[in-house]
Amino acid sequence: MRAMIVKEFRELARDHRTLAMTLVLPILLLVVFGYAANFNVDQVPTALIGSNTQTVQDRLPDLFEVTELTGSTSQGDNSNPEQILRSGQVDVVLDTSATPVTAYIDGSALFAAQSVQIAVGQSGGLLQSEVLFNPDLTTSWVLVPAIAGLIMALIGTIITSIGLVREKETGTIEQLAVLPIRPSAVIIGKIAPYFVLATADITIVTLLGLWLFGVPFNGPVWVYALGAGCFLLVVLGFGVFASTVSTTTGQAIQTAMFFMFPQILLSGMVFPLDAMPWGVRWIGFILPLTYFIKVALGVLLQGAGIAELWPNLVVLAGMALVVLSAATLRFGRSLAPRQPRSVRRSEAEAATDREAA
């Protein structure tokens, strides 16, 4: 029995990935998610419009964080609250020309909107509120677009990585190394079925959300499709990358979950980004699901178009380019592993000797 226990300890010590998952990951999850798990928004980005901005700003509660972008939009219209909210730079616009001051609240930012409504009620008559885009603050209107993105991330990352690793386990992927095609062509061929499958899923989930929960679709369909396509390419790239660092299905699932957990909890889907401390919030800004949720909510609820959402689309396209390039390079090396320099030098010397003989 003692020998068996020692053997198992030695095997566990050699399995660095499992060791890290059992020792480091729980500590990391506790620290990161402990700070992220907060539904209370302490500060809400705010824009002021109207003729009494300075007077009102001095009397506002601390919740309202007046930005330097007060009243500005990409369209140049600095007086339309809807246009300012669609820009995504603020969650509330205060019209100081009215008495009491009217707070136009972005209903797609659910938790921020709830905090603003509480502050309006406690303002002693200084403020009155009007919720735009989601007047009843319906939770399902905000969650359905986010869940659609989560489903795409699930298919793109986990299912893709498992599908590729299974070929490693059966040995069929080694046959690809002798084919006269580039690694990029192999990857395109591999991810194409998953891209079509995920596209069908996002279409079904979105239509079901519209039908079952009454989620509105106010913006252009092609902008939503463009955002979904860019996001799919990113998560499919993550799936390919996970397969290149895994040799078994279990390892592929572990690696894919490493990408999935932060996207579920730090993308703003469960906990609002505005409620997270900056030390954790920046993680959310490097996750693709964060930007897809912004695109989905912008198109479905706000009726935003390419003029308001292009920064998020550019980020997603850039992520897709970087992740797919890294996955292609990594996949190419896994098909044809690079030999050590000493081995290559010996083979070159042997070839030279054969030519001389």
Side-chain angles (χ1 to χ4, degrees):
M1 179 181 293
R2 178 175 177 277
M4 191 65 189
I5 293 174
V6 171
K7 167 185 168 296
E8 292 299 323
F9 268 109
R10 287 177 175 172
E11 287 189 0
L12 182 61
R14 286 194 293 269
D15 189 352
H16 296 161
R17 185 175 314 197
T18 301
L19 207 58
M21 289 282 290
T22 54
L23 295 179
V24 179
L25 191 58
I27 298 173
L28 188 64
L29 291 177
L30 176 66
V31 173
V32 174
F33 297 147
Y35 284 106
N38 182 15
F39 294 104
N40 300 318
V41 179
D42 297 325
Q43 287 193 318
V44 177
T46 304
L48 295 180
I49 61 175
S51 54
N52 300 315
T53 55
Q54 189 59 51
T55 304
V56 172
Q57 182 177 357
D58 295 338
R59 300 173 59 190
L60 287 176
D62 294 336
L63 174 70
F64 298 96
E65 181 185 18
V66 179
T67 70
E68 297 179 358
L69 302 170
T70 303
S72 64
T73 69
S74 56
Q75 284 73 37
D77 184 354
N78 60 0
S79 62
N80 189 328
E82 288 192 16
Q83 290 291 347
I84 297 173
L85 291 176
R86 284 196 186 102
S87 70
Q89 297 168 358
V90 296
D91 293 329
V92 60
V93 177
L94 300 181
D95 185 358
T96 61
S97 60
T99 305
V101 176
T102 302
Y104 294 97
I105 307 170
D106 182 2
S108 65
L110 188 63
F111 297 103
Q114 291 171 342
S115 297
V116 172
Q117 281 200 319
I118 294 174
V120 169
Q122 298 172 346
S123 66
L126 173 65
L127 304 172
Q128 63 179 359
S129 64
E130 180 177 343
V131 181
L132 304 177
F133 311 131
N134 184 10
D136 298 327
L137 296 181
T138 306
T139 304
S140 60
W141 285 20
V142 178
L143 279 183
V144 167
I147 291 174
L150 181 63
I151 291 172
M152 285 196 297
L154 181 69
I155 294 176
T157 305
I158 296 181
I159 306 299
T160 304
S161 61
I162 290 176
L164 291 173
V165 169
R166 277 180 181 166
E167 292 211 29
K168 281 186 179 179
E169 293 176 328
T170 58
T172 56
I173 201 167
E174 295 174 356
Q175 300 172 3
L176 299 176
V178 298
L179 295 178
I181 54 177
R182 294 176 177 273
S184 58
V186 175
I187 288 182
I188 292 174
K190 288 292 180 184
I191 68 176
Y194 298 107
F195 187 89
V196 173
L197 178 64
T199 302
D201 270 344
I202 184 65
T203 303
I204 294 171
V205 169
T206 303
L207 292 177
L208 277 177
L210 300 180
W211 179 49
L212 293 176
F213 301 100
V215 180
F217 201 120
N218 296 320
V221 176
W222 71 271
V223 174
Y224 182 73
L226 181 61
C230 292
F231 177 67
L232 265 180
L233 292 177
V234 180
V235 294
L236 287 170
F238 277 140
V240 175
F241 191 87
S243 70
T244 62
V245 297
S246 308
T247 55
T248 65
T249 301
Q251 289 181 352
I253 294 175
Q254 287 179 347
T255 307
M257 291 308 295
F258 180 79
F259 292 114
M260 287 297 299
F261 270 128
Q263 299 209 63
I264 295 173
L265 297 176
L266 300 179
S267 63
M269 173 182 170
V270 178
F271 306 109
L273 288 172
D274 291 335
M276 300 178 191
W278 266 107
V280 177
R281 194 186 308 176
W282 70 267
I283 301 176
F285 289 132
I286 61 175
L287 300 175
L289 185 57
T290 301
Y291 298 95
F292 174 73
I293 291 175
K294 289 178 181 290
V295 173
L297 292 178
V299 173
L300 270 66
L301 300 189
Q302 298 178 339
I306 192 69
E308 295 86 5
L309 297 174
W310 68 266
N312 301 298
L313 294 171
V314 168
V315 172
L316 283 175
M319 286 183 174
L321 181 63
V322 172
V323 173
L324 283 174
S325 298
T328 302
L329 291 174
R330 182 79 188 176
F331 190 73
R333 289 182 180 178
S334 68
L335 286 179
R338 189 178 177 84
Q339 294 179 326
R341 181 178 299 178
S342 57
V343 175
R344 297 200 306 271
R345 185 182 303 163
S346 300
E347 290 179 351
E349 291 175 355
T352 304
D353 293 341
R354 285 196 297 271
E355 291 177 357

